[in-house]
Amino acid sequence: MIKSASIIGEIKSSSLKLKNKKDLVLLRSKYLGKKSLLASAMADLAQLKGAQRAKLGRELNSLKESIEAVLASAQTRLEDLENQTQYQPFDISSPGKSLSSESRVGHLHPVSLVLKETYQIFTELGFAIVDSPEIESDWFNFEALNMPATHPAREMQDTFYIKNSNQKFLPRTHTSGMQVRFMLENKPPFKIIVPGKVFRSENEDATHSWSFNQVEGLVVGKGVSMANLKGALLQIVKRQLGKETEIRFRPSYFPYTEPSVELDAKYNGKWLELGGAGMVHPDVLKKGGIDTEQYSGFAFGWGVERIAVIKYNIDDLRQLWRPKIEFLEQF
Ligand code: FA5
């Protein structure tokens, strides 16, 4: 006669003491193996007949199912235990590995390297670095800069608009939106640079991407002239790109500067446009609440990726923002 209840009690208490999967295999063979009590009771079934045989058969099957259930839950418990030892919690604030040939240590992105140097040069020259919003109002980005809704100059800065804003807000197309924003909140004289990301609906190529960085410059004071603008830009750009870099100014047009110029640098035998600049248009100064009888100013805005292209001899500016570690590791 087999005592199911005591067998189940026995295996349950043994299963709680298991330490690893090897113990589990031994326990399984003790209760379900060829030499187990259950196996010999099953073999004895053959000698019984009729209803007695059917009754005992049912009892043995139910015992087998109970044993299997105990073994399955023991297996789950052991697997959980194994995972816990495998994935030990660790302190993410503890110091990293020391420098060695195997450890990969990150470094600044080439655009960040260029910006770091830009900040150094401009702060030495007494400029303040001003933060600015990436989502700008249509008014600061365009209207305040003499580009009303129908102005053809908007075409060159075709862009995305913020949904449900009735075309009032946009990811800024240039950092120039900061000019009037800053003038309204500060009294001249001031010298600032405004670095930041800008966005355009652009046909991409080796020198154009849909999102890039600009550095805006704005200087307002008494007697600020075009000669100051030229001198400052020549000095700053040469410091960033090296004295030997050939640079030229070319007449241009921006609705918010008068006169306007474009600044190019020679790269691989060709002229590459770095940025636009000019004397701040009196209408723009007025919109910023500045007395044009007393003050004048110049502004410029250049592309940071273009500086990186020349400085690091990169053949396609789009590579800078592709997640390719082999490319970025070169800098
Ligand atoms: C402007 O964005 C004017 N706001 C610059 C300015 C500021 C003029 C202040 C006058 C006074 P432009 O669209 O040309 O101008 O862009 C300036 C520079 O940004 C370009 O010369 C170039 O260096 C860079 N740039 C323009 N478009 C792209 C692009 N798609 N990808 C990468 N760099 C670009």
Side-chain angles (χ1 to χ4, degrees):
M1 183 65 199
I2 200 155
K3 288 186 183 147
S4 295
S6 79
I7 292 178
I8 294 169
E10 201 180 280
I11 188 175
K12 267 188 183 161
S13 83
S14 306
S15 78
L16 294 175
K17 292 179 199 139
L18 299 181
K19 295 236 157 44
N20 51 44
K21 285 197 175 154
K22 215 166 136 195
D23 293 347
L24 180 65
V25 171
L26 293 175
L27 194 68
R28 175 181 295 279
S29 113
K30 179 172 173 194
Y31 285 91
L32 293 178
K34 279 185 195 149
K35 292 182 186 153
S36 65
L37 263 179
L38 186 67
S40 68
M42 288 274 200
D44 292 346
L45 262 188
Q47 290 149 29
L48 298 177
K49 291 217 172 69
Q52 210 186 359
R53 178 173 168 176
K55 183 171 175 271
L56 187 61
R58 273 195 303 276
E59 274 175 28
L60 292 180
N61 269 336
S62 132
L63 174 62
K64 190 174 174 215
E65 276 168 23
S66 305
I67 293 174
E68 271 167 350
V70 174
L71 291 171
S73 84
Q75 177 161 355
T76 313
R77 184 179 65 79
L78 287 174
E79 278 167 2
D80 285 351
L81 205 71
E82 206 173 85
N83 285 342
Q84 272 168 26
T85 26
Q86 221 169 339
Y87 304 112
Q88 283 293 333
F90 66 97
D91 176 7
I92 54 162
S93 64
S94 66
K97 266 199 212 163
S98 62
L99 257 179
S100 77
S101 53
E102 289 140 47
S103 59
R104 286 155 68 100
V105 175
H107 61 78
L108 289 179
H109 186 277
V111 166
S112 304
L113 290 171
V114 169
L115 281 172
K116 203 173 156 204
E117 189 181 56
T118 309
Y119 301 157
Q120 175 68 35
I121 295 171
F122 278 98
T123 36
E124 275 173 27
L125 295 170
F127 280 69
I129 303 166
V130 175
D131 205 1
S132 55
E134 280 182 7
I135 301 296
E136 187 52 282
S137 70
D138 184 274
W139 195 79
F140 280 121
N141 196 85
F142 290 126
E143 296 265 349
L145 300 175
N146 294 336
M147 286 184 279
T150 51
H151 199 289
R154 284 197 182 209
E155 177 78 26
M156 285 191 293
Q157 298 193 8
D158 185 22
T159 188
F160 316 99
Y161 278 85
I162 304 298
K163 224 174 168 182
N164 304 330
S165 82
N166 204 11
Q167 301 231 325
K168 287 215 171 80
F169 291 96
L170 57 145
R172 62 175 167 197
T173 59
H174 55 176
T175 41
S176 302
M178 197 54 193
Q179 290 183 14
V180 173
R181 198 179 257 286
F182 188 85
M183 288 178 205
L184 286 172
E185 286 171 10
N186 296 275
K187 289 208 170 350
F190 48 71
K191 300 199 281 187
I192 59 162
I193 57 164
V194 186
K197 230 181 202 178
V198 303
F199 311 85
R200 294 182 190 178
S201 166
E202 188 79 81
N203 281 328
E204 293 203 334
D205 59 29
T207 54
H208 294 85
S209 58
W210 68 270
S211 162
F212 56 99
N213 288 269
Q214 286 190 334
V215 169
E216 186 82 11
L218 178 66
V219 174
V220 177
K222 286 187 178 160
V224 174
S225 73
M226 193 73 185
N228 298 139
L229 164 64
K230 211 175 155 190
L233 278 183
L234 271 178
Q235 206 208 75
I236 295 157
V237 174
K238 289 226 170 196
R239 267 186 76 179
Q240 284 228 272
L241 296 178
K243 280 201 185 80
E244 64 297 340
T245 311
E246 262 188 90
I247 284 164
R248 75 171 181 192
F249 287 97
R250 168 167 62 81
S252 187
Y253 169 77
F254 296 100
Y256 38 101
T257 46
E258 176 61 33
S260 305
V261 289
E262 213 105 42
L263 174 69
D264 303 333
K266 240 322 162 37
Y267 178 59
N268 283 346
K270 284 192 196 148
W271 289 109
L272 178 65
E273 185 193 303
L274 289 183
M279 296 304 293
V280 182
H281 196 293
D283 283 354
V284 175
L285 289 173
K286 280 181 201 149
K287 284 195 189 107
I290 289 180
D291 178 359
T292 51
E293 296 292 318
Q294 282 198 65
Y295 296 104
S296 55
F298 68 74
F300 57 85
W302 68 61
V304 183
E305 280 78 356
R306 299 261 178 109
I307 303 263
V309 157
I310 299 180
K311 205 173 170 71
Y312 300 116
N313 200 12
I314 296 168
D315 55 7
D316 186 333
L317 155 163
R318 290 169 295 182
Q319 293 185 85
L320 285 165
W321 297 114
R322 286 186 184 141
K324 239 185 161 183
I325 198 85
E326 296 81 11
F327 173 77
L328 293 171
E329 268 175 349
Q330 301 174 86
F331 302 96

